[in-house]
Amino acid sequence: MTVLIDPPIWPGPRGLMWSHLVSDSSLEELHDFAVRLGMPHRAFDRDHYDVPESAHARAVALGAEAVSSRELLQRLIAAGLRRRKRR
């Protein structure tokens, strides 16, 4: 079981750069980790948490594995946890 975080390269609200935090095993693991990280539930979006750049190092210190955005997405899909936006 692993929680993954990609680099803070995604522009977002308040002029910050953002990362994505996912689990490659279960949403329960992801939610538990997000609570430990201090992320509000409103930061959850279908299959990931949006994490501001200021929390990236803390997520890694808590045990999240830093990976590329491509690897994060590949592992999320392989785990069967990817939830795409409905059109």
Side-chain angles (χ1 to χ4, degrees):
M1 294 195 269
T2 305
V3 173
L4 311 168
I5 191 164
D6 65 359
I9 60 172
W10 306 98
R14 301 187 305 270
L16 298 174
M17 300 301 280
W18 295 76
S19 295
H20 300 108
L21 184 74
V22 304
S23 169
D24 69 356
S25 62
S26 75
L27 290 178
E28 181 179 348
E29 176 187 44
L30 176 60
H31 292 308
D32 290 346
F33 189 91
V35 167
R36 289 184 24 232
L37 184 56
M39 297 302 302
H41 189 71
R42 70 179 177 274
F44 181 70
D45 185 17
R46 295 179 322 274
D47 56 13
H48 69 276
Y49 279 85
D50 292 317
V51 177
E53 59 191 318
S54 59
H56 186 274
R58 191 170 68 240
V60 172
L62 286 173
E65 181 181 343
V67 297
S68 69
S69 297
R70 173 175 275 188
E71 182 175 348
L72 181 141
L73 182 58
Q74 289 172 341
R75 290 173 64 178
L76 184 63
I77 292 169
L81 296 173
R82 177 71 168 135
R83 303 289 179 257
R84 298 178 64 94
K85 285 185 181 179
R86 293 183 187 248
R87 294 183 183 212

